[in-house]
Amino acid sequence: MPGLFLTELTLSHFRSHRRARLELDARPVAIHGPNGAGKTNILEAVSLFSPGRGLRRAAAEEMARQPEAVGWKVSGVLRSLAQVHEVATWWEPDAARAVTIDDKAATQVALGRIARMVWLVPSMDRLWIEGADGRRRFLDRMVMSFEPSHADASLAYDKAMRERNRLLKDQVRDAHWYAALETQMAEAGAAVQANRLAALERLAAAQEGAETAFPVAALELGAAEESETPETVEAFAAALAAGRQRDLYAGRTLVGPHRADLEAAYAAKGVPARQCSTGEQKALLISLILANARALAEDFGAPPIVLLDEVSAHLDAARRAALYDEICALGAQAWMTGTGPELFEELGARAQYLSVSESGGLSEVDG
């Protein structure tokens, strides 16, 4: 059966790990050890095999082991469907982060074509009650898992918008200065909007009729201050032109996908996520990650690699067992962290286990 999983992972001078090498199979990976031992660092290293800055959104230089700060490298052997790839990414001082696939220079978008990945980390726990920026990032990460080129569209939109905003702040009123930038924004922005809406449809379909112990999340793409994003290039370009005078007063662009917000509700109760209890908000997040994984398994041909940092600590034994059952039924290589082995008891022999010591040492243990 085709799968997507790492069979080898090597870290060199990455975060707290001077050197570590793991040999793996397709089963979930349960990592336990004390706080501060470097468990999350391993998940972060794995996350760098997908487009973007990883699950911490850290700058490349921040990942270098201290005090050496000589650079770092993360490499692995990835089984992707019927193919096997050698993947590496690294950073050296005064250089940009590099990526290779099978010893050939590659882009981060290319990583997304061979490896699909989803994750949930503790910093997301306040997603529903904090600002829209975090929800947009959460949504766009899911969108990129379906469509890796979404990253390029987002970067193109942001670049054109920054240049347009510079004109607005300088109070430039000549329409000719804006025309080309607004065309670029409209083309990229319409693609961003279309990708987001398509992802929400896939997530809704993946939740419908699914056998899961977690609540269904009803999702909708809203907008800050009712600033809806037009869905066609022509309509978006017209909206930018029409709003130019208003934007001049504000000194920034007030319409577009950068103003969008992800709205969620506990479907069975009809309660907005922001009004749910802390436990319900966490359950909704887990539900969305699982739905994302189910949809990717169907679209890509294999379930994605799933990264769950400290997720088991916030679940009772019944919910933990339900989560592990769903992960194993999906067939995903899920990398999970926890402070003690008792948090993974319900997994039994279905997982492979790693222990991380306070000094950062790694060792394989029997389940």
Side-chain angles (χ1 to χ4, degrees):
M1 180 178 176
L4 175 63
F5 54 92
L6 286 165
T7 59
E8 292 181 20
L9 177 67
T10 302
L11 312 182
S12 177
H13 290 84
F14 184 84
R15 294 283 192 183
S16 58
H17 299 282
R18 193 167 190 274
R19 177 156 179 91
R21 184 176 182 276
L22 303 174
E23 293 187 359
L24 308 148
D25 55 45
R27 291 176 297 165
V29 183
I31 308 171
H32 58 82
N35 291 328
K39 303 184 300 296
T40 303
N41 296 342
I42 298 171
L43 268 61
E44 182 181 29
V46 175
S47 74
L48 295 177
F49 292 141
S50 68
R53 296 167 65 179
L55 58 77
R56 281 192 176 112
R57 300 185 66 248
E61 57 268 24
E62 295 174 4
M63 304 179 205
R65 177 181 165 86
Q66 300 297 329
E68 302 98 319
V70 295
W72 54 263
K73 184 174 184 179
V74 177
S75 58
V77 177
L78 179 75
R79 169 73 181 269
S80 179
L81 303 178
Q83 298 181 320
V84 177
H85 298 283
E86 294 184 1
V87 183
T89 182
W90 68 90
W91 171 82
E92 296 175 348
D94 302 319
R97 179 183 152 199
V99 175
T100 59
I101 299 175
D102 298 325
D103 293 324
K104 296 180 181 178
T107 65
Q108 292 188 29
V109 171
L111 286 174
R113 297 194 181 102
I114 63 170
R116 304 300 170 96
M117 206 170 295
V118 298
W119 59 68
L120 184 60
V121 297
S123 62
M124 296 177 181
D125 288 353
R126 297 179 59 82
L127 184 76
W128 307 119
I129 58 177
E130 293 190 338
D133 285 354
R135 289 187 289 276
R136 279 194 296 272
R137 286 194 296 270
F138 178 75
L139 173 59
D140 283 336
R141 168 54 56 182
M142 291 192 291
V143 175
M144 281 192 289
S145 73
F146 292 113
E147 181 50 71
S149 66
H150 181 70
D152 288 339
S154 297
L155 288 171
Y157 177 80
D158 289 343
K159 181 176 184 294
M161 183 177 66
R162 285 196 301 270
E163 294 181 15
R164 183 178 187 268
N165 285 349
R166 191 175 298 114
L167 294 179
L168 294 169
K169 288 178 182 177
D170 291 343
Q171 293 293 296
V172 175
R173 297 178 181 273
D174 188 339
H176 292 91
W177 286 90
Y178 290 91
L181 288 175
E182 289 174 352
T183 297
Q184 293 171 23
M185 284 184 66
E187 291 173 349
V192 168
Q193 181 77 351
N195 290 340
R196 286 174 173 174
L197 292 173
L200 292 185
E201 289 182 6
R202 291 294 296 116
L203 291 169
Q207 292 186 93
E208 187 175 352
E211 294 184 8
T212 178
F214 296 90
V216 171
L219 301 175
E220 185 176 347
L221 189 60
E225 300 175 9
E226 303 302 318
S227 180
E228 296 289 345
T229 299
E231 295 185 18
T232 67
V233 175
E234 295 76 15
F236 194 4
L240 287 169
R244 213 174 284 155
Q245 191 62 45
R246 180 189 63 173
D247 292 351
L248 276 165
Y249 286 126
R252 66 186 190 281
T253 303
L254 297 177
V255 63
H258 66 289
R259 306 276 290 172
D261 194 3
L262 177 64
E263 298 173 359
Y266 193 126
K269 297 183 176 182
V271 178
R274 64 181 178 276
Q275 296 177 12
C276 290
S277 69
T278 301
E280 289 173 334
Q281 291 177 356
K282 185 76 171 187
L284 287 170
L285 284 171
I286 293 173
S287 179
L288 286 174
I289 294 299
L290 291 172
N292 194 176
R294 286 193 296 270
L296 284 171
E298 183 177 327
D299 292 0
F300 185 67
I305 293 173
V306 180
L307 309 178
L308 301 173
D309 191 23
E310 299 289 352
V311 69
S312 55
H314 303 284
L315 302 175
D316 58 32
R319 272 279 172 85
R320 282 202 304 268
L323 173 61
Y324 299 156
D325 287 346
E326 291 193 39
I327 287 171
C328 291
L330 187 63
Q333 188 187 59
W335 295 66
M336 298 172 285
T337 65
T339 52
E342 70 279 359
L343 295 172
F344 303 107
E345 285 180 355
E346 296 86 357
L347 271 169
R350 296 180 295 176
Q352 49 205 317
Y353 296 83
L354 297 173
S355 175
V356 186
S357 67
E358 289 187 1
S359 62
L362 280 172
S363 60
E364 297 183 22
V365 295
D366 294 331

